[in-house]
Structure formats: C-alpha cells, structure tokens
Amino acid sequence: MSKSERVQTSTLPPGDSKMALTAEHLLDTPLPELLAELDVTLDESPITDPGFTGSAVVTRDRVVLSMRSGQPHWERTAVARALLGRALNVPLSPLRDALTDLRMHCVHA
C-alpha cells in the first residue's frame, strides 16, 4: 500500500453522511472508492500483534481507521467495512463465524 493510499483525511461526522449509507453500499463498493467517497483516513498501525485487527477513532469531524501492517487483504477489507459500519451506525448482520474472533475497537473521541 502506497503512502497516498494509506493517508486520506476524513471530514465526515460520525453517523452524519452526505448520503444515506446503506449496508449494501458499504459492503459492495470497492474499499478504496468507499474510503475516498466517505473521506475516511486509513493508516498503518504501529501495533504488530496478530491479535490486533484494527481500530476506528471517531471525532466530531473525522473517522480514522488504523489497521495492522501485513494483514491479509480479505481481513483488512472485512474489518475496515465492519468498523465503518459500526462508526457510522450502519445496521449490519453479525460477522460470519470465521470473523467472530476478530477484536475490533471503535472509539468515539
């Protein structure tokens, strides 16, 4: 992932999107397009523990996703979408069994 792909600035207030974000749109839109559309920051975390899957920090005007370096693509994509859904209050079905062990943290600051 290049630096330009990793660093994107968010100005989206949590739960207040310029458009109605549906579960279908959250899950079906290619992740880079979704992050750009929502203006969400995705950055590499300094945490290297394999048990860390990612975190979201939500402030009044930003959403920042922090993901572990070296994550498999499928894991990064699934966790990013789950964190975004949680951060932006998009109703989603529970994660499938293969992902239920993932520890995700969504912090509202």
Side-chain angles (χ1 to χ4, degrees), residues 8-12 18 32-42 61-64 84:
Q8 302 164 7
T9 305
S10 170
T11 56
L12 178 71
K18 297 173 188 144
E33 183 180 321
L34 183 66
L35 295 175
E37 181 181 298
L38 297 175
D39 202 17
V40 170
T41 300
L42 173 61
D61 62 349
R62 299 192 96 114
V63 177
V64 178
L84 279 173

Side-chain angles (χ1 to χ4, degrees), residues 5 8 16 19 30-32 40-42 44 75 93 96-97:
E5 290 173 319
Q8 302 164 7
D16 183 24
M19 57 176 235
L31 188 58
V40 170
T41 300
L42 173 61
E44 299 291 327
E75 181 181 308
S93 299
R96 295 184 322 201
D97 290 345

Side-chain angles (χ1 to χ4, degrees), residues 36-95:
E37 181 181 298
L38 297 175
D39 202 17
V40 170
T41 300
L42 173 61
D43 210 353
E44 299 291 327
S45 172
I47 300 170
T48 58
D49 180 347
F52 174 74
T53 55
S55 66
V57 176
V58 181
T59 67
R60 188 177 56 207
D61 62 349
R62 299 192 96 114
V63 177
V64 178
L65 299 181
S66 182
M67 310 295 282
R68 184 181 80 244
S69 182
Q71 271 176 309
H73 176 74
W74 68 267
E75 181 181 308
R76 178 177 290 257
T77 299
V79 171
R81 291 176 194 280
L83 286 170
L84 279 173
R86 205 177 274 176
L88 299 176
N89 300 315
V90 177
L92 295 172
S93 299
L95 293 175

